[in-house]
Amino acid sequence: VAFTSALFLLVSFGFLSYVVSAPLVIGFTGVMVLYLIFVYFFIRTRVEIKKNDFLLLFLLALLYLYADFPLFPYSESGVNIVFLIVITFILFLPLLVKFKIFGFMQLLVAFSSIATVLVFILLSFGIEIPHLQFGDGRRYYMLFLGMSVLSTNFWDFGNIVFFRTNGLLKEPGHFAILCALLLGADKFRFSKFRNKAILLGGLFSFSAVFYISLIAGLIVFNLGKRFYKYGLASMGFLLFTLYLIFTFVPEEVQNRLFHSDENRYSSSESMLDSRAKGEINSIILEADITTLIFGNGRGFFREQEEGTSDFRISIILYGIFGLLILISVYAFLILRHKNNQLIIYFTFIFLLIFAHR
């Protein structure tokens, strides 16, 4: 039950969605999780759910049903209802099983991170590794055992191979965020081997989000006496890693790692606008009051040339009302923690993702 639940959550995060249709995979794994949970309840006949879980279920139901409700001109029905049903039953599981779910997610991401390092070493020595390709044209995925790379993030210079790992997700940034969340949930305890592996995976994503999250985590979770022992040592290691990158990595790779093909962080545009395509702000400013409050619907960008990956997409698709529901869900998930360090760290991560992704 714990393993399949962890796999389902990773699938919902985009796990191998470029191999098989995401709705199909989510639906299949969701049904499998539900079956195993039903068997578990039949054998154990013990249910654990708290009042806070009911409130979380209400907020999630409001969020996902609102997103799929045929209220918008560009509405599309998705697999949100499957996700909601599975999450409901996962919340009914005993606390011990929930901890096991988290542990399996750590192990799966750690395995992918170790695979990333091994692939990097083998390719650097000129050893060809069998892999599968999905997609066509200039942009396709190279799927190795345990990890994948997007073709636009892979550079072969003959004497050196360099890439940004996706883990087994769709983009390096997605994998970086997942690594940052898992490390934060375990309070950056690098005494555990799996967390050291996840750290390497995040570093090999070469995502600014992960590097910023890592620095924030090292500070937040190492305040006090421990900071001088672990925090400074870890930050020293990070700075040394960045020094190696800027010293030995070819300039062309550096430009693509820290800028992009379109020189996205040029001084002529903001970081938000660099992640957008088309006149995103004009769509919001020119919308009528009803659209601004309730949004256009999930399928809006399928018929538009514009696009973005920051918080403005929530306003355009689901309106201010949908955005407030999303913020409420995140706020509840963060504030239910009694640990101030977790609250500070996850609030920072939420703001970082909210503004950038």
Side-chain angles (χ1 to χ4, degrees):
V1 171
F3 178 78
T4 53
S5 297
L7 188 61
F8 172 79
L9 293 174
L10 287 176
V11 166
S12 302
F13 212 91
F15 181 77
L16 290 179
S17 59
Y18 45 85
V19 177
V20 184
S21 168
L24 179 63
V25 177
I26 291 177
F28 175 77
T29 54
V31 170
M32 182 170 58
V33 171
L34 288 176
Y35 171 75
L36 291 174
I37 289 178
F38 275 124
V39 172
Y40 178 88
F41 284 149
F42 180 76
I43 296 174
R44 300 291 296 273
T45 63
R46 189 178 74 171
V47 176
E48 293 183 10
I49 190 165
K50 301 177 181 179
K51 292 181 180 180
N52 284 343
D53 293 329
F54 283 111
L55 179 55
L56 176 59
L57 286 177
F58 170 76
L59 291 174
L60 287 174
L62 187 61
L63 176 66
Y64 289 116
L65 293 179
Y66 177 80
D68 278 350
F69 196 76
L71 175 68
F72 317 104
Y74 295 94
S75 293
E76 287 185 356
S77 296
V79 292
N80 286 332
I81 188 64
V82 176
F83 181 81
L84 179 62
I85 293 173
V86 176
I87 288 295
T88 300
F89 280 92
I90 288 177
L91 287 175
F92 278 100
L93 291 171
L95 186 61
L96 179 62
V97 179
K98 294 176 185 175
F99 277 120
K100 288 184 177 180
I101 292 173
F102 175 71
F104 277 121
M105 290 186 68
Q106 284 182 307
L107 288 174
L108 288 169
V109 174
F111 170 77
S112 186
S113 300
I114 294 172
T116 294
V117 176
L118 291 176
V119 169
F120 181 84
I121 292 173
L122 292 174
L123 290 178
S124 296
F125 280 98
I127 301 174
E128 293 191 9
I129 306 174
H131 62 276
L132 302 174
Q133 289 189 6
F134 297 91
D136 50 20
R138 179 174 175 268
R139 183 182 174 90
Y140 57 88
Y141 290 90
M142 295 177 283
L143 178 61
F144 299 89
L145 179 61
M147 57 82 66
S148 66
V149 180
L150 194 57
S151 59
T152 52
N153 291 323
F154 184 92
W155 305 278
D156 187 350
F157 294 97
N159 58 340
I160 184 173
V161 171
F162 217 84
F163 60 80
R164 298 179 63 192
T165 182
N166 300 342
L168 287 172
L169 304 186
K170 290 186 69 174
E171 296 180 16
H174 297 174
F175 186 63
I177 291 170
L178 180 58
C179 290
L181 291 174
L182 291 176
L183 289 175
D186 210 10
K187 299 181 180 179
F188 281 76
R189 293 190 179 100
F190 291 122
S191 56
K192 297 181 179 180
F193 176 77
R194 67 183 65 176
N195 285 341
K196 294 176 183 176
I198 294 172
L199 170 64
L200 288 175
L203 291 175
F204 272 89
S205 71
F206 294 102
S207 169
V209 170
F210 180 80
Y211 285 95
I212 296 172
S213 302
L214 177 60
I215 294 173
L218 293 174
I219 294 174
V220 170
F221 292 104
N222 290 288
L223 291 176
K225 295 181 179 179
R226 292 181 60 214
F227 178 79
Y228 297 99
K229 182 178 180 180
Y230 299 103
L232 291 179
S234 300
M235 291 179 68
F237 171 76
L238 175 60
L239 292 174
F240 179 70
T241 302
L242 292 175
Y243 167 77
L244 293 178
I245 292 174
F246 285 107
T247 303
F248 297 104
V249 173
E251 185 177 352
E252 180 182 349
V253 176
Q254 291 183 33
N255 291 334
R256 296 193 184 187
L257 288 177
F258 300 104
H259 299 279
S260 82
D261 294 341
E262 294 83 9
N263 194 21
R264 74 165 114 182
Y265 298 132
S266 63
S267 58
S268 61
E269 59 180 356
S270 69
M271 184 176 288
L272 287 182
D273 289 335
S274 70
R275 301 191 66 82
K277 181 175 66 174
E279 299 297 328
I280 295 299
N281 290 330
S282 65
I283 295 177
I284 298 176
L285 295 175
E286 295 173 5
D288 58 71
I289 187 65
T290 303
T291 302
L292 193 61
I293 294 175
F294 297 106
N296 293 280
R298 188 202 307 275
F300 177 76
F301 284 117
R302 297 189 189 281
E303 300 182 18
Q304 306 289 331
E305 294 183 358
E306 291 81 1
T308 183
S309 62
D310 56 68
F311 69 93
R312 291 174 294 180
I313 194 173
S314 297
I315 297 177
I316 295 171
L317 298 185
Y318 308 116
I320 295 175
F321 182 68
L323 180 63
L324 290 176
I325 297 175
L326 179 63
I327 292 175
S328 299
V329 171
Y330 279 113
F332 178 82
L333 289 172
I334 292 171
L335 296 177
R336 70 186 302 186
H337 292 289
K338 297 180 180 180
N339 186 294
N340 289 333
Q341 290 175 316
L342 290 174
I343 291 175
I344 294 172
Y345 178 75
F346 283 117
T347 299
F348 175 80
I349 294 297
F350 167 70
L351 294 175
L352 190 62
I353 297 173
F354 193 64
H356 195 49
R357 297 300 294 180

